[in-house]
Amino acid sequence: MVSFVCNACQETLKKPKLDMHANRCHYASFSCIDCSVDFVGTSYRQHTSCISEAEKYEGKLYKKGKQNNAQQKPSSTPKSTVDQLTARAQQLANCETNETPASPKKRKSEDANRSSDKKKKSAWDSTDISDDATTAMTNAIAYVTQAEPRTEFADLRKKCVKLVTKHPQSKLSKSDVKSVFDKALVEALGSGKVALVMLKST
């Protein structure tokens, strides 16, 4: 309901009480509290609707098509508690794995990549590895350069050390394997197991 202020005595009144107040208060004229419009005589009677609070407080930023969130009705029926809990559990599972649900095509390509990685690992893992660090490293160098002939020197060292130390049959420590890399590389090049393409040191 619209509220008014008497400009003579500054009393705040609702619209139904304005006629009685006009009879009591001499020189009464009224102003609308919401829109600050002054009404002379009985012109206040035509003032049935006023601006909304949004219009009043937002001023020039107010957009007429905009609806208040409190006035909007929910568009769908509320979900059951079980559905809400299931959806929340699914969201948490996606957050933990840092994955969004993938499309079927993307899943197929990811599965293909994983299976090829397993094949690569199983091919190396199925080979017998020597207890001698130099021989094991020579075989690893041959394996890596066969798969990736244009490998940089630093990458070749990292990959070979990882292959030898992670091998299921390996009993060699990382420091032992790292120390024999240079000797194993010379041996691999000399035996013809490795073709020198372009090994760069970084």
Side-chain angles (χ1 to χ4, degrees):
M1 174 149 314
V2 183
S3 296
F4 294 86
V5 173
C6 175
N7 292 332
C9 66
Q10 302 301 314
E11 187 176 344
T12 303
L13 306 156
K14 298 279 184 187
K15 189 172 180 182
K17 305 254 179 168
L18 290 179
D19 287 329
M20 285 191 328
H21 186 78
N23 291 333
R24 267 193 330 227
C25 185
H26 199 57
Y27 307 113
S29 67
F30 302 102
S31 296
C32 176
I33 291 178
D34 293 330
C35 63
S36 302
V37 174
D38 289 330
F39 298 97
V40 181
T42 58
S43 61
Y44 59 83
R45 291 180 184 158
Q46 286 81 30
H47 190 62
T48 55
S49 65
C50 196
I51 61 172
S52 66
E53 282 189 18
E55 269 181 289
K56 180 178 179 182
Y57 295 112
E58 291 177 15
K60 293 178 182 177
L61 300 174
Y62 176 75
K63 294 179 183 173
K64 290 185 180 181
K66 192 167 108 177
Q67 292 182 353
N68 190 357
N69 290 339
Q71 294 173 352
Q72 292 178 352
K73 295 181 181 177
S75 59
S76 63
T77 57
K79 293 181 179 180
S80 70
T81 306
V82 174
D83 291 341
Q84 290 175 353
L85 290 173
T86 306
R88 182 68 180 146
Q90 210 169 25
Q91 287 175 344
L92 290 174
N94 287 343
C95 289
E96 287 174 2
T97 59
N98 292 331
E99 294 179 3
T100 56
S103 65
K105 288 181 182 179
K106 191 173 181 181
R107 276 192 218 121
K108 286 180 184 177
S109 67
E110 287 173 358
D111 291 342
N113 289 341
R114 286 186 193 130
S115 64
S116 67
D117 288 346
K118 287 179 184 176
K119 287 177 187 173
K120 286 179 187 174
K121 288 178 185 175
S122 63
W124 170 252
D125 292 344
S126 63
T127 59
D128 289 331
I129 192 166
S130 174
D131 289 338
D132 178 38
T134 308
T135 309
M137 184 57 85
T138 305
N139 291 338
I141 292 170
Y143 180 79
V144 171
T145 54
Q146 184 181 9
E148 300 172 30
R150 294 187 180 267
T151 306
E152 289 186 9
F153 186 76
D155 292 337
L156 179 65
R157 179 188 301 257
K158 286 178 189 174
K159 289 177 182 179
C160 292
V161 168
K162 187 176 180 181
L163 280 174
V164 172
T165 54
K166 301 283 183 182
H167 194 280
Q169 298 173 358
S170 178
K171 297 173 186 162
L172 302 167
S173 69
K174 197 172 188 176
S175 60
D176 292 340
V177 174
K178 278 185 178 180
S179 65
V180 298
F181 176 78
D182 294 334
K183 183 179 176 183
L185 182 60
V186 171
E187 235 179 75
L189 289 169
S191 67
K193 287 184 178 179
V194 176
L196 182 63
V197 176
M198 188 64 173
L199 296 173
K200 292 191 269 182
S201 63
T202 55

